[in-house]
């Protein structure tokens, strides 16, 4: 990790510690001591099963695109992608180019453009049920929760931006003329800001967009595969919410499952805003505030949030970072570039030339 990432992670942890201080660290520790370890172990098992579902969905999409890989091979890549998402303030998108790069490097038959298309499709299919749930949640919380108007506006804007990006991606793939306009727009930017070897780089961009469109069209045209992937996506979100519910049960807090789901969706939405790595600090604080507003004591809300984030955030981060060196120093070099698609694309091109 570079200095900027470490500094942002440090800021996030400090924010969390400050919140715990105001809640009462002694009370939080006291709540942790009486937690049901069996239920916490069950929550961990649910999270591990969720990793399997993430991998299964990506496998289905890869097969549609003609890339038949085993789950055991894709699972470590998923975990690395989750880890990089968590340590980069990129709206949970920093790990996706890295995941695509690893798959393209691991199998010479796949180009980076093809693997990136399956990763983007995977994220789009994950985002679709989230947008549906987020729209329902925002409407519900606007009616039943008394929170500041600015927060509601931020959440609505975030959902609109996500929907707009999805529409642009899908339309670019089903409408060749629009894809050409995007191609021309990107190349226009390149000519303005990238003078060195401009023609060669323009060809790379053109081929990348063309390859991306072809792969995405394959994915979109397979209705059966799309339906299966969407079903898996909804099941993933159900298990994500169920995990949080089990954690609260471990602390003896029988919170309404609908409230759990609403708070989790809002926290996930905030976590997608590229401010701090994985939304760490901001997400934790929101969860504590909203669960406390729902009637859970602040100490139990804080303790449950700490355990939940250890399972959902830190477990994937640690496992993914442990796995990462297995793929070699070339992948490690890409982590610092994951927030810059231009740098990553240049790296892939150099590796391809070698």
């Amino acid at each position: 990790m570079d200095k900027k990432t470490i500094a942002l992670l440090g800021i996030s942890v400090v924010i969390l510690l400050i919140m715990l201080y105001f809640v009462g660290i002694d009370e939080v520790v006291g709540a942790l001591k009486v937690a049901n370890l069996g239920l916490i172990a069950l929550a961990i098992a649910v999270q591990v099963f969720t990793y399997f579902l993430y991998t299964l969905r990506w496998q289905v999409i890869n097969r549609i695109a003609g890339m038949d890989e085993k789950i055991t091979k894709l699972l470590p890549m998923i975990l690395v992608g989750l880890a990089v998402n968590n340590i980069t303030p990129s709206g949970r998108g920093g790990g996706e180019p890295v995941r695509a790069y690893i798959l393209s490097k691991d199998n010479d038959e796949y180009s980076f453009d093809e693997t990136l298309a399956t990763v983007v499709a995977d994220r789009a299919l994950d985002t679709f049920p989230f947008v549906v749930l987020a729209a329902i949640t925002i409407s519900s919380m606007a009616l039943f929760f008394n929170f500041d108007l600015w927060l509601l506006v931020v959440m609505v804007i975030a959902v609109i931006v996500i929907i707009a990006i999805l529409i642009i991606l899908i339309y670019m793939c089903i409408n060749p003329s629009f894809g050409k306009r995007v191609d021309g727009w990107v190349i226009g930017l390149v000519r303005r800001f990238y003078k060195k070897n401009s023609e060669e780089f323009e060809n790379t961009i053109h081929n990348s967009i063309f390859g991306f469109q072809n792969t995405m069209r394959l994915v979109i045209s397979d209705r059966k595969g799309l339906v299966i992937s969407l079903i898996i996506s909804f099941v993933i979100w159900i298990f994500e919410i169920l995990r949080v519910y089990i954690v609260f049960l471990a602390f003896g807090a029988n919170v309404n499952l609908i409230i759990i789901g609403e708070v989790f969706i809002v926290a996930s939405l905030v976590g997608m805003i590229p401010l701090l790595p994985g939304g760490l600090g901001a997400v934790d604080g929101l969860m504590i505030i909203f669960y406390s507003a729902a009637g859970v004591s602040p100490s139990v809300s804080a303790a449950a949030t700490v355990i939940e984030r250890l399972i959902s955030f830190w477990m994937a981060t640690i496992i993914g970072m442990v796995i990462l060196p297995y793929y070699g120093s070339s992948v490690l070099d890409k982590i610092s570039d994951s927030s810059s698609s231009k740098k990553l694309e240049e790296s892939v091109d150099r590796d391809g030339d070698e």
Side-chain angles (χ1 to χ4, degrees):
M1 292 186 289
D2 57 23
K3 292 180 180 179
K4 180 181 177 181
T5 300
I6 294 173
L8 288 172
L9 280 172
I11 292 171
S12 302
V13 173
V14 169
I15 292 172
L16 178 59
L17 290 174
I18 291 172
M19 291 178 181
L20 292 177
Y21 174 78
F22 282 107
V23 171
I25 293 179
D26 291 339
E27 294 181 10
V28 174
V29 172
L32 288 170
K33 288 181 180 179
V34 299
N36 186 320
L37 297 181
L39 287 174
I40 290 176
L42 178 60
I44 293 172
V46 169
Q47 180 65 9
V48 172
F49 182 66
T50 304
Y51 296 152
F52 166 78
L53 291 176
Y54 279 134
T55 311
L56 179 62
R57 183 181 60 204
W58 193 29
Q59 184 191 47
V60 171
I61 295 169
N62 280 330
R63 283 180 173 172
I64 294 173
M67 307 177 197
D68 193 1
E69 297 288 348
K70 295 180 180 179
I71 284 183
T72 52
K73 193 172 184 179
L74 296 175
L75 177 59
M77 300 178 192
I78 287 283
L79 291 169
V80 169
L82 290 172
V84 178
N85 279 341
N86 289 344
I87 65 172
T88 54
S90 51
R92 295 189 179 181
E96 312 311 342
V98 174
R99 180 167 34 130
Y101 174 80
I102 292 174
L103 181 57
S104 66
K105 288 291 290 181
D106 194 67
N107 193 321
D108 295 336
E109 295 179 5
Y110 313 146
S111 69
F112 176 73
D113 314 317
E114 294 171 330
T115 57
L116 183 61
T118 66
V119 169
V120 171
D122 180 62
R123 279 306 298 266
L125 289 167
D126 181 66
T127 305
F128 180 78
F130 171 74
V131 167
V132 173
L133 294 172
I136 296 171
T137 296
I138 292 172
S139 302
S140 174
M141 296 192 78
L143 294 173
F144 299 108
F145 278 81
N146 183 23
F147 55 86
D148 293 337
L149 180 63
W150 69 266
L151 182 58
L152 177 63
V153 171
V154 169
M155 289 190 295
V156 170
I157 291 174
V159 171
I160 291 173
V161 170
I162 292 170
I163 293 173
I165 293 172
L166 278 175
I167 291 173
I168 290 171
L169 281 173
I170 294 171
Y171 190 63
M172 186 181 79
C173 296
I174 63 177
N175 189 318
S177 61
F178 180 72
K180 289 180 180 178
R181 288 200 295 271
V182 172
D183 190 14
W185 179 76
V186 173
I187 289 176
L189 286 179
V190 170
R191 288 174 179 170
R192 181 175 298 182
F193 298 106
Y194 190 80
K195 304 298 182 182
K196 185 179 179 181
N197 296 325
S198 178
E199 184 177 350
E200 182 181 347
F201 193 43
E202 286 174 19
N203 289 333
T204 299
I205 291 173
H206 177 74
N207 293 333
S208 296
I209 292 177
F210 183 73
F212 176 81
Q213 284 181 291
N214 285 341
T215 304
M216 284 293 285
R217 274 196 290 268
L218 277 175
V219 173
I220 293 172
S221 63
D222 192 316
R223 293 184 180 180
K224 181 180 178 181
L226 280 178
V227 170
I228 293 172
S229 299
L230 279 173
I231 291 173
I232 294 172
S233 294
F234 276 102
V235 172
I236 286 173
W237 281 102
I238 291 170
F239 271 88
E240 294 269 20
I241 295 169
L242 181 62
R243 181 195 66 239
V244 183
Y245 180 68
I246 292 171
V247 169
F248 272 92
L249 287 180
F251 288 91
N254 191 11
V255 188
N256 188 299
L257 188 60
I258 294 176
I259 296 295
I260 293 284
E262 289 178 339
V263 176
F264 181 77
I265 293 296
V266 171
S268 298
L269 186 60
V270 172
M272 289 183 178
I273 301 172
L275 298 173
L276 294 169
L280 191 62
V283 169
D284 308 75
L286 271 177
M287 290 176 74
I288 294 170
I289 291 170
F290 279 124
Y291 288 132
S292 298
V296 183
S297 68
S299 59
V300 171
S301 295
T305 297
V306 168
I307 295 299
E308 203 288 316
R309 291 291 274 170
L310 281 172
I311 296 171
S312 64
F313 181 91
W314 289 107
M315 188 168 78
T317 303
I318 293 170
I319 294 174
M321 295 307 290
V322 169
I323 294 172
L324 187 57
Y326 168 78
Y327 293 107
S329 59
S330 62
V331 177
L332 289 169
D333 292 338
K334 307 300 177 290
I335 300 304
S336 61
D337 295 340
S338 62
S339 60
S340 170
S341 59
K342 175 181 171 182
K343 289 182 180 179
L344 185 59
E345 188 70 50
E346 289 173 347
S347 299
V348 172
D349 293 336
R350 286 198 301 270
D351 292 337
D353 293 338
E354 292 172 2

